[in-house]
Amino acid sequence: MARARTQAVEERPEVRASAQYLRIAPRKARLVVEHIRGRSVPEARTVLAFTPRAAAREVEKILASAVANAEANHGLLGDDLIVSAAYVDEGPVIKRWRARARGRVARIKKRTCHVTIKLTTAETNGAPRRARRTEAAAAPAPADATEAPAAEETPAEEKPKRTRRPATRKPAAKKPAAKAEEKPKPKPRRAPRKKTEESEES
């Protein structure tokens, strides 16, 4: 029988931080957590700083705790980490009551939640982003690039410049000479009507 070969796979370190029994409704906390899932730590901090919800202040503290755990316990750089997982679980519900009309009672539910955030290193093609940048900067330039003479630049065919035609303005039409203002002629007065005497009947 052929034995199955076991390949050693390097697992990325995962750091977590959680807060339990927060006096926030789970539904309200999930609205904030969904915005930072999958983002880098600097982006998540910026999103939480400009989120007006009260749950954002608590989530920001949990994120800072996770970054401190990564830097102190694993020697990682906080800005190179990404939020791999962030979820909210329901906690116990505190029940209170409020008096209503006709001797009735209305129940008040004060919900709690447990928030968990996990951080991992961001990798590209199996190597951390920070390591790839340093390797690319330290790599020497190829010898061919230094020895090869610079290619002679061939001047591109010059396109004939367009010459703008002088703008031809149409001669302004001469306005007719203003006629001397004529004074309005006075209207002829009507002759008063003559009163006709009615002929007396004989």
Side-chain angles (χ1 to χ4, degrees):
M1 290 180 64
R3 295 180 180 180
R5 296 179 180 178
T6 59
Q7 296 179 354
V9 180
E10 295 181 0
E11 295 183 357
R12 292 187 294 174
E14 188 175 65
V15 187
R16 57 173 289 175
S18 63
Q20 297 182 349
Y21 305 104
L22 295 179
R23 292 291 295 272
I24 300 172
R27 188 177 69 88
K28 296 179 181 179
R30 288 188 183 110
L31 294 175
V32 177
V33 165
E34 288 176 358
H35 291 300
I36 66 172
R37 190 182 295 118
R39 295 181 181 272
S40 63
V41 170
E43 290 179 357
R45 285 174 174 167
T46 305
V47 170
L48 294 174
F50 289 96
T51 302
R53 293 183 174 273
R57 309 287 79 80
E58 300 296 333
V59 175
E60 192 173 4
K61 294 177 183 178
I62 302 168
L63 179 63
S65 176
V67 172
N69 293 341
E71 293 177 349
N73 301 335
H74 300 276
L76 301 174
L77 188 61
D79 292 343
D80 287 348
L81 302 177
I82 61 173
V83 181
S84 61
Y87 52 87
V88 180
D89 297 326
E90 295 183 4
V93 180
I94 303 173
K95 297 175 183 178
R96 296 291 182 264
W97 60 272
R98 180 183 180 186
R100 302 303 299 240
R102 299 183 181 182
R104 292 179 296 178
V105 170
R107 174 164 291 180
I108 299 175
K109 294 182 179 180
K110 299 184 178 182
R111 304 179 185 275
T112 62
C113 65
H114 311 313
V115 182
T116 305
I117 294 178
K118 295 181 181 180
L119 304 178
T120 56
T121 56
E123 294 186 359
T124 307
N125 296 334
R129 291 187 302 171
R130 191 174 183 81
R132 288 174 60 84
R133 289 177 185 173
T134 54
E135 290 173 4
D144 297 340
T146 56
E147 296 176 0
E152 297 181 359
E153 296 182 357
T154 56
E157 296 182 359
E158 296 182 356
K159 297 181 180 180
K161 297 182 179 179
R162 296 181 180 178
T163 56
R164 294 185 177 180
R165 296 180 181 178
T168 55
R169 295 183 179 179
K170 296 181 180 179
K174 295 183 179 180
K175 297 182 180 179
K179 295 182 179 179
E181 296 181 357
E182 298 179 356
K183 296 182 179 180
K185 296 180 180 180
K187 296 181 180 180
R189 294 182 178 179
R190 295 181 180 179
R193 294 182 180 180
K194 295 181 179 181
K195 296 182 180 180
T196 55
E197 297 180 356
E198 296 178 0
S199 58
E200 298 179 357
E201 294 180 359
S202 56

PDB file of all heavy atoms in Angstrom, residues 21 32-33 51 56 77 113 121 153 165 180 189 201:
ATOM      1  N   TYR A  21     -21.077  40.003  26.698  1.00  0.00           N
ATOM      2  CA  TYR A  21     -22.128  40.659  27.487  1.00  0.00           C
ATOM      3  C   TYR A  21     -22.161  42.176  27.268  1.00  0.00           C
ATOM      4  O   TYR A  21     -22.313  42.949  28.204  1.00  0.00           O
ATOM      5  CB  TYR A  21     -21.950  40.351  28.983  1.00  0.00           C
ATOM      6  CG  TYR A  21     -21.903  38.886  29.294  1.00  0.00           C
ATOM      7  CD1 TYR A  21     -20.689  38.269  29.587  1.00  0.00           C
ATOM      8  CD2 TYR A  21     -23.049  38.098  29.246  1.00  0.00           C
ATOM      9  CE1 TYR A  21     -20.633  36.910  29.857  1.00  0.00           C
ATOM     10  CE2 TYR A  21     -23.001  36.737  29.512  1.00  0.00           C
ATOM     11  CZ  TYR A  21     -21.790  36.143  29.815  1.00  0.00           C
ATOM     12  OH  TYR A  21     -21.743  34.815  30.071  1.00  0.00           O
ATOM     13  N   VAL A  32     -22.711  47.205  12.162  1.00  0.00           N
ATOM     14  CA  VAL A  32     -21.388  47.824  12.196  1.00  0.00           C
ATOM     15  C   VAL A  32     -20.304  46.829  11.794  1.00  0.00           C
ATOM     16  O   VAL A  32     -19.379  47.153  11.043  1.00  0.00           O
ATOM     17  CB  VAL A  32     -21.107  48.388  13.606  1.00  0.00           C
ATOM     18  CG1 VAL A  32     -19.709  48.966  13.686  1.00  0.00           C
ATOM     19  CG2 VAL A  32     -22.145  49.443  13.962  1.00  0.00           C
ATOM     20  N   VAL A  33     -20.426  45.588  12.271  1.00  0.00           N
ATOM     21  CA  VAL A  33     -19.395  44.576  12.023  1.00  0.00           C
ATOM     22  C   VAL A  33     -19.302  44.234  10.540  1.00  0.00           C
ATOM     23  O   VAL A  33     -18.216  43.948  10.016  1.00  0.00           O
ATOM     24  CB  VAL A  33     -19.698  43.328  12.874  1.00  0.00           C
ATOM     25  CG1 VAL A  33     -18.902  42.136  12.399  1.00  0.00           C
ATOM     26  CG2 VAL A  33     -19.384  43.599  14.340  1.00  0.00           C
ATOM     27  N   THR A  51     -18.294  56.111  11.657  1.00  0.00           N
ATOM     28  CA  THR A  51     -19.600  55.478  11.815  1.00  0.00           C
ATOM     29  C   THR A  51     -20.299  56.079  13.028  1.00  0.00           C
ATOM     30  O   THR A  51     -19.761  56.027  14.136  1.00  0.00           O
ATOM     31  CB  THR A  51     -19.460  53.956  11.999  1.00  0.00           C
ATOM     32  OG1 THR A  51     -18.765  53.420  10.864  1.00  0.00           O
ATOM     33  CG2 THR A  51     -20.816  53.298  12.108  1.00  0.00           C
ATOM     34  N   ALA A  56     -20.200  51.177  17.151  1.00  0.00           N
ATOM     35  CA  ALA A  56     -18.899  51.344  16.510  1.00  0.00           C
ATOM     36  C   ALA A  56     -17.811  51.623  17.541  1.00  0.00           C
ATOM     37  O   ALA A  56     -16.652  51.227  17.354  1.00  0.00           O
ATOM     38  CB  ALA A  56     -18.952  52.466  15.488  1.00  0.00           C
ATOM     39  N   LEU A  77       2.955  43.051  12.523  1.00  0.00           N
ATOM     40  CA  LEU A  77       2.733  44.480  12.362  1.00  0.00           C
ATOM     41  C   LEU A  77       1.242  44.716  12.155  1.00  0.00           C
ATOM     42  O   LEU A  77       0.625  44.115  11.279  1.00  0.00           O
ATOM     43  CB  LEU A  77       3.532  45.020  11.176  1.00  0.00           C
ATOM     44  CG  LEU A  77       3.539  46.540  11.000  1.00  0.00           C
ATOM     45  CD1 LEU A  77       4.165  47.220  12.210  1.00  0.00           C
ATOM     46  CD2 LEU A  77       4.284  46.919   9.743  1.00  0.00           C
ATOM     47  N   CYS A 113     -24.963  40.993  23.672  1.00  0.00           N
ATOM     48  CA  CYS A 113     -24.312  40.282  22.566  1.00  0.00           C
ATOM     49  C   CYS A 113     -22.847  40.037  22.892  1.00  0.00           C
ATOM     50  O   CYS A 113     -22.272  40.673  23.784  1.00  0.00           O
ATOM     51  CB  CYS A 113     -24.448  41.066  21.254  1.00  0.00           C
ATOM     52  SG  CYS A 113     -23.594  42.652  21.275  1.00  0.00           S
ATOM     53  N   THR A 121      -2.666  37.703   8.589  1.00  0.00           N
ATOM     54  CA  THR A 121      -1.751  38.457   7.739  1.00  0.00           C
ATOM     55  C   THR A 121      -2.234  38.403   6.297  1.00  0.00           C
ATOM     56  O   THR A 121      -2.730  37.373   5.840  1.00  0.00           O
ATOM     57  CB  THR A 121      -0.330  37.879   7.825  1.00  0.00           C
ATOM     58  OG1 THR A 121      -0.387  36.491   7.486  1.00  0.00           O
ATOM     59  CG2 THR A 121       0.234  38.041   9.218  1.00  0.00           C
ATOM     60  N   GLU A 153      15.989  57.932 -30.201  1.00  0.00           N
ATOM     61  CA  GLU A 153      14.596  58.346 -30.379  1.00  0.00           C
ATOM     62  C   GLU A 153      14.413  58.895 -31.780  1.00  0.00           C
ATOM     63  O   GLU A 153      15.134  59.803 -32.202  1.00  0.00           O
ATOM     64  CB  GLU A 153      14.226  59.408 -29.349  1.00  0.00           C
ATOM     65  CG  GLU A 153      14.294  58.885 -27.919  1.00  0.00           C
ATOM     66  CD  GLU A 153      13.880  59.961 -26.943  1.00  0.00           C
ATOM     67  OE1 GLU A 153      13.610  61.085 -27.413  1.00  0.00           O
ATOM     68  OE2 GLU A 153      13.841  59.669 -25.745  1.00  0.00           O
ATOM     69  N   ARG A 165      -7.947  80.522 -39.871  1.00  0.00           N
ATOM     70  CA  ARG A 165      -8.271  81.600 -40.789  1.00  0.00           C
ATOM     71  C   ARG A 165      -8.682  82.840 -40.013  1.00  0.00           C
ATOM     72  O   ARG A 165      -9.326  82.729 -38.979  1.00  0.00           O
ATOM     73  CB  ARG A 165      -9.406  81.179 -41.716  1.00  0.00           C
ATOM     74  CG  ARG A 165      -9.031  80.024 -42.621  1.00  0.00           C
ATOM     75  CD  ARG A 165     -10.201  79.669 -43.505  1.00  0.00           C
ATOM     76  NE  ARG A 165      -9.881  78.543 -44.387  1.00  0.00           N
ATOM     77  CZ  ARG A 165     -10.743  78.010 -45.239  1.00  0.00           C
ATOM     78  NH1 ARG A 165     -11.980  78.493 -45.314  1.00  0.00           N
ATOM     79  NH2 ARG A 165     -10.363  77.005 -45.992  1.00  0.00           N
ATOM     80  N   ALA A 180     -36.224 113.096 -37.287  1.00  0.00           N
ATOM     81  CA  ALA A 180     -36.466 114.121 -36.263  1.00  0.00           C
ATOM     82  C   ALA A 180     -37.826 113.878 -35.640  1.00  0.00           C
ATOM     83  O   ALA A 180     -38.800 113.580 -36.334  1.00  0.00           O
ATOM     84  CB  ALA A 180     -36.397 115.523 -36.889  1.00  0.00           C
ATOM     85  N   ARG A 189     -60.642 121.039 -32.913  1.00  0.00           N
ATOM     86  CA  ARG A 189     -61.753 121.082 -31.976  1.00  0.00           C
ATOM     87  C   ARG A 189     -63.067 120.985 -32.748  1.00  0.00           C
ATOM     88  O   ARG A 189     -63.228 121.552 -33.808  1.00  0.00           O
ATOM     89  CB  ARG A 189     -61.739 122.357 -31.166  1.00  0.00           C
ATOM     90  CG  ARG A 189     -60.541 122.464 -30.247  1.00  0.00           C
ATOM     91  CD  ARG A 189     -60.623 123.719 -29.436  1.00  0.00           C
ATOM     92  NE  ARG A 189     -59.504 123.831 -28.520  1.00  0.00           N
ATOM     93  CZ  ARG A 189     -59.335 124.863 -27.696  1.00  0.00           C
ATOM     94  NH1 ARG A 189     -60.220 125.849 -27.704  1.00  0.00           N
ATOM     95  NH2 ARG A 189     -58.290 124.881 -26.903  1.00  0.00           N
ATOM     96  N   GLU A 201     -96.442 122.969 -31.489  1.00  0.00           N
ATOM     97  CA  GLU A 201     -97.604 122.552 -32.273  1.00  0.00           C
ATOM     98  C   GLU A 201     -98.669 123.650 -32.186  1.00  0.00           C
ATOM     99  O   GLU A 201     -98.957 124.177 -31.099  1.00  0.00           O
ATOM    100  CB  GLU A 201     -98.138 121.237 -31.672  1.00  0.00           C
ATOM    101  CG  GLU A 201     -97.159 120.080 -31.833  1.00  0.00           C
ATOM    102  CD  GLU A 201     -97.722 118.829 -31.227  1.00  0.00           C
ATOM    103  OE1 GLU A 201     -98.823 118.874 -30.689  1.00  0.00           O
ATOM    104  OE2 GLU A 201     -97.004 117.769 -31.310  1.00  0.00           O
TER     105      GLU A 201
END
